[in-house]
Structure formats: C-alpha cells, structure tokens
Amino acid sequence: MRTAPRPGNEESRLQKLHAYNILDTPPEEPFERITRIVAETMGAPIAAVSLIDRDRQWMKARRGIDLAEVPRDLAFCAHAILSDQVLVVEDATQDVRFSANPLVSGSSAFRFYAGAPLRTPDGFNLGTLCVIDRRPRALSPSHHQLLEDMARLTIDEMELRIALQAAMKEAAEQAKLMMVKDEFVSVVTHELRTPLTSIRGALGMLHAGVLGALPEKATQAVTIGHRNAIVLSQLIDDILDMQKLEAGKLAFSFEPVETGPLLTETCKDLRTFAADRQVTIETAIEASPVITCDPRRLRQALGNLMSNAVKFSPPGATVRAHLGRTQDTVRYSISDSGAGIPDDFRPHVFQKFTQAQGTSRPKGTGLGLAITKAIVDALDGAIHFESVPEKGTTFHVELPLRRSLTARDPARPARPPGG
C-alpha cells in the first residue's frame, strides 16, 4: 500500500477547507441528494461526499457505508485530490497503491473506485465526490461526465452554504448595529427634548412680548431662534415617532371622528405657517362622514401633507385641501402647485431619509412622508399621489368608512414605510 503524498499547497488547502465550516456538521439534504442520485444512476452500492482533513477523511454525506471517517492514510480520496481529473480504480486488488489497503483486503472488500475532486473556484481540491463498488468495473463516459458535473454541483452547494453563513453573520451584525443606533438616537433625542422645550418656551415668551418690548434687531433674532426651535422640536418628534412606528410601539386610540371638522382644524393650525411663506390654504368639504380612527394621528398625517404642500408651493400659490367620499371610503386630497415629483424619485417617495434632488427644493429630514404612510397604514387606509412636472402634486388619503372588527391591531407594527 502506498500512502498518498501531501499536496504542495496543503496548508492553504486546509485553511480553505476549514473556512467552509462544514467539517463535523450534521447531514444536509442537498449533499445527501447528490450521493443518492450518483449511486442510483451509476448502480453503485456506495457513494460519498468526502473531505480530506489533516489526518482523516470525513464524509459530509454517505450512502451504503457506515463509516463517517477513516484515517487519511487509508483514504482513496487522499490520492484523488492530487489531480484535477477523476481518479478511476477499476480493480483495487491490481493497483499497487491500494492492493494492501485494509479497505480492500478486509471485510469491506472495496474493488472499484471513482472519485471526482471537489475543486473550489480558487483552485483547491478539498475532497471528492466518489462512488465505490465491491466488484471490479469500468467507468463509462456518461458516468464519468455525471461524476464531474455532480462534483461541481457539490462545490456550488458548499459555496452557497458559506455565502448564506456570511449573509446571516452580516445580518446579525447589522441588527446589532441598528439596535445600538436606535438606542443612541432614542437617548439623544430624549435628552435634547427637555432643554429644547425650555428654550422654545423662553423664546416664545420673548417673541410674544410677554417680557416686554425688544429692540428691532433683537426681535428679529428672537423670531429666527423661535422658528428654528420649533423646527428642531418637530425633527425630534419625527425621529421618535419613526422609531415607535417601526417597533410597533406608537400608541393609537380609536374613536368616532367627524372628518370635516378634523380637516378644518388641521388647515387652521397651518395658516400662520402658510402665511409666512405667502401661501394661501383653501378647504373644500363635499361630505363629512363619521369614521372610526385615531384623530390625533390622522391630523398628524394630514398635517405632514399640508406642511409639505406649503413648503413646495411658490409664493402667491394656493394649497387646496379637499374632502369627499366614495361608496366605501372617505378621501382627503391635498394639492399644491409646486415643481412636482421627478419620475425617477416616485418609487422612493415614502422611504425614510430620502428627498428628491434639486437646488430649489426645500430641505428636510425625509421623514414626514414615511411617517404619514405608516400612520395611514395603521389606520387601515391607503395613500397615493398624482404629480405633473412644474404643475404640482396631489396626495390622496383614503380611509374606510367602516373599520372592520377584525382589522389589524394598531399596536402591532405597521407595514414598513415605502412597502
């Protein structure tokens, strides 16, 4: 018996083998299926996916043999990995390399062997896909091709396995990073909220003249500071709301709501904001049915749409808020006469932290529409839009007139924004 020499790249080969994290793993159906197909097609009693470790041959999958591993010195596969070609031994008793091998002369009585190297894409032979018979035989050309093809398929399965492991590891790391990020954002925003509330309150008092008249330049500075404090407060609220929506923790309280007065109040809240930008808000209410929803969250969603419409409208423009109904829904429509939504940005409108490019476009956080869609989803409604370049955009929010008793519990996570 001749012991197979070690390949010249043995250490690198072993490193590659161990990188697959496959040694000593439980049976897996893809590999079992390969040995089954090869054995049955070739009419061989034994087939195996064998891997050559430092001092052993270990079988990831095997058919017709009880041994899970054998010493490397006895392994036919240790010879097979020395070449990139299929190793064929028609009668082991007539081959000086194997005639004295205990697997040939003992009770196993191996006679025929054919092993196709399991060659990685970067050129390492890790083991073989092999078939064994207890009688001498030849290997037909079709079976030779089958063995080579199934060996390549075996490597493909191993590559898929390691790619899946890498993807799962990356996903776990990303999830961990997201948890850390979310916790950081939550802590920072909560810590900012308290002092910002005090700053906003003090600036509000100064702006309103509660503490007495201020010089003109001081009044201008206080006005700017007060406006920016409001913007920053809204940003903090948006970030916290987005986190709660994604975690399914944003509270909803359902009750009967008059849809017309709710729209009127929402528009009223934004008239000063619109006036500062020389924009007019018009309201048209064709019907005012009562629906079951969360009035606070609905006003938040409509307020986001109205605020966007005002920001994207040129001075002197009019933003129109319309309320109507269909047979089954109530429909809010918010229209502006701004630049419209570019075609390439339409698929991303409701994704968080995204904004259409354009030097003339108002800047923001990119959270408003994502929050709006998540709220509308949680209210069992639908939101969509129509937009014409340089003529404006209309957003439609449709809510069911009768909310089903089996509707999704709003305490559970809403559908992902943009999904």
Side-chain angles (χ1 to χ4, degrees):
M1 184 184 80
R2 294 181 182 174
T3 301
R6 304 285 166 129
N9 62 354
E10 177 67 0
E11 289 306 315
S12 298
R13 190 193 69 82
L14 288 172
Q15 289 179 9
K16 184 68 176 181
L17 172 62
H18 294 158
Y20 278 88
N21 295 316
I22 196 172
L23 292 173
D24 300 310
T25 56
E28 296 177 61
E29 177 56 27
F31 300 102
E32 297 291 330
R33 186 182 303 118
I34 287 171
T35 58
R36 184 167 62 248
I37 291 172
V38 169
E40 292 179 356
T41 304
M42 297 179 63
I46 301 171
V49 173
S50 298
L51 299 169
I52 301 300
D53 199 2
R54 186 177 299 276
D55 297 309
R56 60 174 178 157
Q57 169 189 328
W58 179 79
M59 300 177 200
K60 172 60 181 173
R62 62 188 189 275
R63 182 178 176 84
I65 186 172
D66 293 330
L67 293 173
E69 62 180 66
V70 297
R72 180 170 176 168
D73 290 346
L74 302 182
F76 283 51
C77 295
H79 293 266
I81 66 170
L82 298 175
S83 169
D84 296 337
Q85 307 301 315
V86 176
L87 172 64
V88 180
V89 181
E90 295 185 350
D91 186 350
T93 62
Q94 305 302 310
D95 192 310
V96 294
R97 294 171 295 178
F98 308 111
S99 57
N101 190 313
L103 297 175
V104 175
S105 59
S107 59
S108 297
F110 291 173
R111 292 293 180 266
F112 169 81
Y113 171 91
L118 300 178
R119 186 173 180 81
T120 66
D122 48 355
F124 293 100
N125 291 338
L126 304 184
T128 69
L129 172 63
C130 64
V131 292
I132 298 171
D133 206 335
R134 293 188 172 88
R135 61 181 178 83
R137 59 184 287 185
L139 185 67
S140 70
S142 62
H143 288 168
H144 188 288
Q145 187 63 55
L146 173 69
L147 207 56
E148 287 186 328
D149 290 345
M150 297 305 282
R152 283 191 285 269
L153 183 59
T154 302
I155 280 292
D156 288 344
E157 286 290 344
M158 292 174 63
E159 286 287 315
L160 180 62
R161 189 178 185 278
I162 197 171
L164 180 60
Q165 290 175 347
M168 291 175 64
K169 181 180 179 182
E170 182 178 355
E173 291 174 349
Q174 289 294 325
K176 184 177 180 180
L177 287 173
M178 286 298 294
M179 289 178 62
V180 172
K181 184 207 74 171
D182 288 346
E183 184 177 355
F184 172 77
V185 170
S186 180
V187 169
V188 169
T189 48
H190 276 100
E191 290 297 320
L192 283 173
R193 174 176 272 178
T194 299
L196 183 59
T197 300
S198 299
I199 293 169
R200 180 178 171 181
L203 288 173
M205 293 174 65
L206 290 170
H207 182 260
V210 174
L211 303 180
L214 296 174
E216 182 178 351
K217 290 186 178 180
T219 299
Q220 292 175 355
V222 168
T223 299
I224 294 171
H226 184 243
R227 183 183 302 136
N228 288 336
I230 293 174
V231 171
L232 187 54
S233 293
Q234 185 60 55
L235 169 60
I236 291 174
D237 289 342
D238 283 350
I239 292 173
L240 291 174
D241 281 350
M242 195 72 249
Q243 281 190 310
K244 290 176 182 177
L245 280 164
E246 290 180 335
K249 295 180 180 179
L250 190 66
F252 284 80
S253 179
F254 285 79
E255 61 185 73
V257 174
E258 291 189 55
T259 52
L262 185 141
L263 179 61
T264 300
E265 290 299 317
T266 303
C267 293
K268 182 179 178 181
D269 291 343
L270 287 162
R271 291 197 189 279
T272 300
F273 174 75
D276 288 344
R277 288 159 178 77
Q278 302 176 47
V279 173
T280 302
I281 296 177
E282 289 185 358
T283 306
I285 299 176
E286 292 184 4
S288 182
V290 175
I291 63 172
T292 300
C293 74
D294 184 323
R296 176 168 171 254
R297 296 305 176 191
L298 179 54
R299 285 184 66 169
Q300 181 180 359
L302 295 176
N304 283 344
L305 294 178
M306 294 287 296
S307 175
N308 271 0
V310 170
K311 286 190 292 185
F312 284 96
S313 293
T318 298
V319 168
R320 292 175 172 83
H322 177 269
L323 173 61
R325 61 169 291 175
T326 67
Q327 183 177 352
D328 301 314
T329 67
V330 58
R331 189 186 207 197
Y332 291 98
S333 300
I334 312 299
S335 303
D336 66 54
S337 53
I341 298 171
D343 289 342
D344 60 350
F345 185 71
R346 294 187 182 204
H348 311 291
V349 163
F350 296 111
Q351 294 176 1
K352 63 179 181 178
F353 302 120
T354 59
Q355 288 187 302
Q357 300 300 311
T359 55
S360 62
R361 296 181 178 276
K363 302 300 181 183
T365 63
L367 286 175
L369 288 176
I371 291 172
T372 297
K373 185 179 189 309
I375 290 174
V376 172
D377 286 346
L379 298 177
D380 298 312
I383 182 170
H384 57 97
F385 64 91
E386 303 160 0
S387 188
V388 178
E390 305 307 325
K391 290 189 177 181
T393 302
T394 299
F395 279 89
H396 302 286
V397 173
E398 295 188 76
L399 300 171
L401 287 172
R402 294 176 180 82
R403 191 168 183 271
S404 171
L405 294 177
T406 59
R408 179 180 47 77
D409 179 357
R412 300 207 316 259
R415 295 189 293 273

